[in-house]
Amino acid sequence: MNMNWDLNKLYTSLDSKEYKKDKEELKGFIHKENSLMSDFKENDIKEYLKIEEKLNILAIKMFNYSSLKTSVDVNDRESLKELQELQMLFQETIPANVKFKRFLMDKDIDALVKKDAFLEEYKYLLEKTKEQASHMLSEKEEILYSKLSMVASSSWSDLQSNLTSNLSIKVKGFKDKMPLSMVRNLAYDSNKDVRYNAYKAELKAYKAIEESVAMGLNNIKREANIMASLRGYDSILDMALVHNHMKRETLDAMIDAIKEELPKFREYFKAKAEALGYKNGLPFYELFAPMGKLTKTYTYQEAEKEVLDVYKSFSPRLYEMGYKAFHEGWIDVLPREGKVGGAFCSGITPIGESRVLTNFTGAMSDIQTLAHELGHAYHNEVLKDSLPLNQDYPMQLAETASILCQTLMSKKLIDEVKDKEEKLTVVENSLQEDTQCVVDILSRYLFENMVCDTEIAKPLGAKDMNQFMLKAQEESYGDGLDKKYLHPYMWLCKSHYYSASNGFYNWPYAFGLLYAKGLYAKYMENKEEFVKKYDEMLKNTCIMDAEDVALTMDIDITKKEFWISSLKTIEEDIDLFKELLK
């Protein structure tokens, strides 16, 4: 059984004949595309899209090869350098892309696609491109902004990353200082004193960098506000919704549903607090405190069996893809020096495969991680036969297959565990993730609204950011948390806020979780019928707006009732959690 990636299906090395050939082809297509735009006519649209297809295929292969190599070896300087060169190379495509979008501004897309079956396949892409064009600046301004943002918002983002990555923290009870990521992971430690001391040390350490990072966040949001206004959007949030092909009506319905159901989630926090011996709600540093007495660990072979069993219960195609992933070098499994932490899945549709990174230790949560990441791989599996430019889906729909697979896995694990204390561990672990995606994401959404609603000219410091975050946490968690022990610096340690072009990178997590939970409820109503429609729905995530994707599964996501029904599936676990505490 392979325990590491097989990247030879891409290239054998950066010096290989195949890689060098593809890089030269890439340069040739970029030159051809820019030449085509020098005297662009309507009849050239098909040619432009065909070039874009070739560029897309080459980009996926080449970027994946270097980025995957650096993921398992952060000291691979050769691959890091190649990634930077590729990024610079693709800067040369910006002028052609800008010209193409502006060309479509006054074109009748329906009339265009009637002339050619190939263009008909890309109707949705052309419609969305035209929509983007209506918010563009002049060609020179777009090119100028793409370059200036590299030394403006991108640099502020790099500052946050560098300052937090290099923060060295001394925690009481530990001999040596630790990086921030390691200190934050102590929130999961089994020792209460360790969790508390890590929390206190983390908050204290932020004092050294708070004003620098606050300045960075303030300027990123000021830049985003200016650009949203110049592009004709009502707000940064409005711009984010357009980019994610979703209506404000849908987001409002989801947020309203979450707010309505908050009292039930606060029951969970208060029940956990009481079980841990707290009277005034749960201290923030105890959100991830382990509960129950599950000590079982799994071998990788046992984890494979668990995942494949649940995949087989869903559909033959999901099982077959999962089996290939485990046996044909799709997964880099074990943690080791130089390998990045966490887990992710990278789709490589030109070869019809994906690559998954995990840091498997044998914990039950690692099984859920495998099920989740291979769910992403299944989304990619379904898309591999789609046209190259019809394989990109928006953020909020990116978690559809992964969370559905994780939910199937979680339900199986809960059913399998019979001991009351062990079942408590499984249920509580699931609730930790779900409440983060619902309640904590709500606090992040509220916080970002406060920052973005501030007058562009007003500078915000760390004190302002802390006050906004505390207000957002109090509104979201309510009496579920002890107000004496909140986390005012949650804005500082989360990278999701630090992008001018990708604002409000928070609500898609809640959407992804709740949409998948709603799909699970549909699946349980009629499994056979659901599976028949499921793959087509995943394909549609790339060629339909979010509301239309959901309608293919007879779901109306513009209605609060759907989101309430999704939240109820989590509330069932809250009731089970409270019952297990008795």
Side-chain angles (χ1 to χ4, degrees):
M1 180 180 296
N2 291 310
M3 302 290 278
N4 301 104
W5 279 325
D6 174 10
L7 297 183
N8 288 331
K9 289 185 180 179
L10 289 171
Y11 307 102
T12 55
S13 73
L14 291 172
D15 291 325
S16 68
K17 184 166 62 175
E18 293 83 2
Y19 189 89
K20 290 179 178 178
K21 177 177 175 292
D22 279 357
K23 193 166 186 180
E24 287 305 310
E25 278 197 13
L26 181 67
K27 293 176 181 177
F29 283 124
I30 292 174
H31 175 73
K32 186 176 181 180
E33 185 173 79
N34 283 317
S35 297
L36 182 68
M37 299 309 298
S38 63
D39 185 28
F40 197 78
K41 300 180 179 63
E42 191 172 298
N43 290 338
D44 295 323
I45 293 176
K46 184 174 181 179
E47 179 65 16
Y48 174 84
L49 293 176
K50 285 186 174 293
I51 294 173
E52 279 288 295
E53 285 185 335
K54 299 285 179 57
L55 287 173
N56 182 273
I57 291 168
L58 290 170
I60 290 173
K61 290 175 64 181
M62 298 172 76
F63 272 105
N64 265 292
Y65 184 68
S66 292
S67 63
L68 290 172
K69 288 183 70 181
T70 59
S71 295
V72 293
D73 182 5
V74 295
N75 298 311
D76 185 347
R77 300 299 174 190
E78 184 184 17
S79 294
L80 282 169
K81 181 182 177 184
E82 182 62 18
L83 276 175
Q84 292 172 348
E85 288 183 7
L86 287 173
Q87 288 167 351
M88 292 302 295
L89 194 56
F90 269 88
Q91 282 284 311
E92 297 176 24
T93 67
I94 292 173
N97 290 340
V98 170
K99 288 176 181 177
F100 180 70
K101 289 175 181 177
R102 295 188 69 81
F103 181 83
L104 291 180
M105 282 182 63
D106 59 352
K107 296 295 181 289
D108 183 336
I109 302 301
D110 284 330
L112 274 179
V113 301
K114 283 180 181 178
K115 302 174 183 179
D116 192 294
F118 175 81
L119 295 182
E120 179 71 39
E121 292 289 329
Y122 281 127
K123 181 181 179 182
Y124 183 77
L125 174 69
L126 291 169
E127 288 174 340
K128 291 300 169 185
T129 303
K130 178 179 177 178
E131 184 178 6
Q132 290 174 19
S134 67
H135 293 283
M136 288 180 66
L137 309 179
S138 71
E139 182 182 332
K140 288 184 178 180
E141 287 171 329
E142 287 292 346
I143 295 171
L144 177 63
Y145 176 64
S146 72
K147 293 180 178 180
L148 287 179
S149 64
M150 299 288 287
V151 293
S153 54
S154 291
S155 293
W156 287 117
S157 178
D158 290 341
L159 177 70
Q160 184 269 347
S161 178
N162 289 336
L163 288 176
T164 53
S165 296
N166 291 312
L167 199 60
S168 187
I169 304 173
K170 182 70 171 69
V171 179
K172 183 180 178 180
F174 290 83
K175 180 181 177 181
D176 299 321
K177 289 186 175 182
M178 293 179 278
L180 177 61
S181 59
M182 190 177 294
V183 174
R184 286 185 57 76
N185 279 337
L186 292 177
Y188 298 88
D189 196 272
S190 59
N191 187 302
K192 173 183 174 181
D193 290 336
V194 170
R195 298 193 296 268
Y196 175 74
N197 289 334
Y199 164 79
K200 297 297 286 185
E202 180 191 351
L203 296 189
K204 182 180 178 181
Y206 288 138
K207 291 288 184 183
I209 62 173
E210 60 176 355
E211 291 300 341
S212 298
V213 181
M215 183 180 290
L217 179 56
N218 188 202
N219 284 325
I220 286 171
K221 295 308 178 189
R222 289 167 79 180
E223 178 183 316
N225 261 325
I226 290 169
M227 292 308 299
S229 177
L230 288 174
R231 294 188 185 284
Y233 294 104
D234 292 336
S235 64
I236 299 174
L237 179 56
D238 178 45
M239 182 165 63
L241 287 165
V242 171
H243 288 176
N244 283 284
H245 309 164
M246 197 175 96
K247 297 176 182 176
R248 181 65 179 264
E249 179 185 5
T250 298
L251 178 63
D252 288 345
M254 183 185 76
I255 296 297
D256 288 347
I258 290 173
K259 288 180 177 180
E260 186 174 312
E261 297 300 303
L262 283 175
K264 190 69 178 182
F265 286 84
R266 291 168 185 167
E267 286 182 22
Y268 158 68
F269 296 124
K270 288 187 280 190
K272 182 171 183 177
E274 186 177 343
L276 293 174
Y278 300 101
K279 295 181 179 179
N280 299 314
L282 193 66
F284 196 96
Y285 61 85
E286 295 289 50
L287 277 171
F288 305 107
M291 297 190 70
K293 296 180 180 178
L294 183 64
T295 57
K296 176 177 172 58
T297 58
Y298 295 79
T299 66
Y300 185 59
Q301 289 74 19
E302 289 173 329
E304 176 192 341
K305 185 178 186 308
E306 290 283 356
V307 172
L308 292 184
D309 282 352
V310 80
Y311 278 14
K312 182 180 283 187
S313 71
F314 184 82
S315 75
R317 187 178 184 184
L318 180 58
Y319 169 79
E320 289 163 8
M321 183 227 67
Y323 186 88
K324 284 175 64 178
F326 279 106
H327 290 267
E328 296 185 10
W330 289 27
I331 310 172
D332 193 290
V333 181
L334 301 174
R336 58 185 180 275
E337 187 176 350
K339 180 178 175 179
V340 299
F344 67 78
C345 173
S346 186
I348 316 175
T349 46
I351 64 170
E353 297 182 2
S354 294
R355 292 296 180 268
V356 168
L357 179 142
T358 72
N359 282 274
F360 186 84
T361 62
M364 181 176 284
S365 60
D366 291 335
I367 298 177
Q368 292 172 304
T369 297
L370 278 167
H372 178 101
E373 299 303 339
L374 288 172
H376 283 300
Y378 188 70
H379 202 159
N380 300 330
E381 163 76 16
V382 170
L383 293 173
K384 68 183 183 182
D385 295 325
S386 296
L387 290 174
L389 304 182
N390 281 344
Q391 296 176 351
D392 189 25
Y393 38 78
M395 286 187 300
Q396 79 276 19
L397 293 172
E399 297 297 327
T400 302
S402 58
I403 293 179
L404 180 62
C405 284
Q406 183 178 341
T407 302
L408 292 167
M409 189 77 254
S410 295
K411 296 297 184 183
K412 180 179 187 291
L413 292 171
I414 290 172
D415 289 342
E416 285 180 350
V417 176
K418 302 304 178 185
D419 180 83
K420 184 177 180 179
E421 285 294 316
E422 292 186 347
K423 190 181 286 286
L424 177 63
T425 302
V426 181
V427 174
E428 212 276 323
N429 284 347
S430 180
L431 283 173
Q432 283 182 20
E433 291 190 29
D434 290 349
T435 53
Q436 280 292 293
C437 278
V438 175
V439 184
D440 201 68
I441 287 296
L442 175 63
S443 73
R444 300 184 208 181
Y445 171 76
L446 295 173
F447 167 81
E448 193 160 357
N449 266 308
M450 293 179 211
V451 176
C452 294
D453 285 347
T454 304
E455 292 179 18
I456 292 175
K458 181 181 178 181
L460 297 172
K463 184 179 179 180
D464 300 301
M465 300 297 183
N466 286 349
Q467 288 176 346
F468 287 160
M469 182 55 74
L470 289 174
K471 184 178 179 182
Q473 287 176 355
E474 289 176 12
E475 187 173 336
S476 301
Y477 286 94
D479 60 357
L481 290 190
D482 187 334
K483 291 184 179 181
K484 293 181 180 179
Y485 298 100
L486 299 177
H487 196 312
Y489 288 102
M490 280 296 283
W491 58 270
L492 193 154
C493 59
K494 293 294 182 183
S495 61
H496 303 76
Y497 298 117
Y498 296 84
S499 170
S501 61
N502 200 9
F504 284 88
Y505 189 12
N506 41 56
W507 61 263
Y509 284 96
F511 182 104
L513 175 81
L514 296 177
Y515 181 58
K517 294 284 187 183
L519 287 175
Y520 175 77
K522 282 282 186 181
Y523 169 69
M524 294 304 293
E525 289 174 9
N526 189 332
K527 294 181 179 181
E528 186 176 343
E529 189 62 28
F530 180 91
V531 172
K532 284 180 182 177
K533 299 161 65 176
Y534 182 63
D535 287 3
E536 194 63 28
M537 185 270 294
L538 291 179
K539 279 188 177 183
N540 288 334
T541 58
C542 305
I543 56 173
M544 289 183 180
D545 287 353
E547 291 79 13
D548 294 327
V549 172
L551 285 174
T552 66
M553 304 300 284
D554 302 318
I555 293 171
D556 186 351
I557 58 176
T558 67
K559 304 298 183 186
K560 185 171 72 172
E561 290 73 21
F562 165 74
W563 301 106
I564 294 288
S565 67
S566 294
L567 289 160
K568 295 294 184 186
T569 65
I570 302 173
E571 292 172 12
E572 290 173 6
D573 285 346
I574 293 175
D575 288 336
L576 176 57
F577 172 76
K578 290 167 64 180
E579 183 66 29
L580 291 169
L581 287 176
K582 293 179 181 179

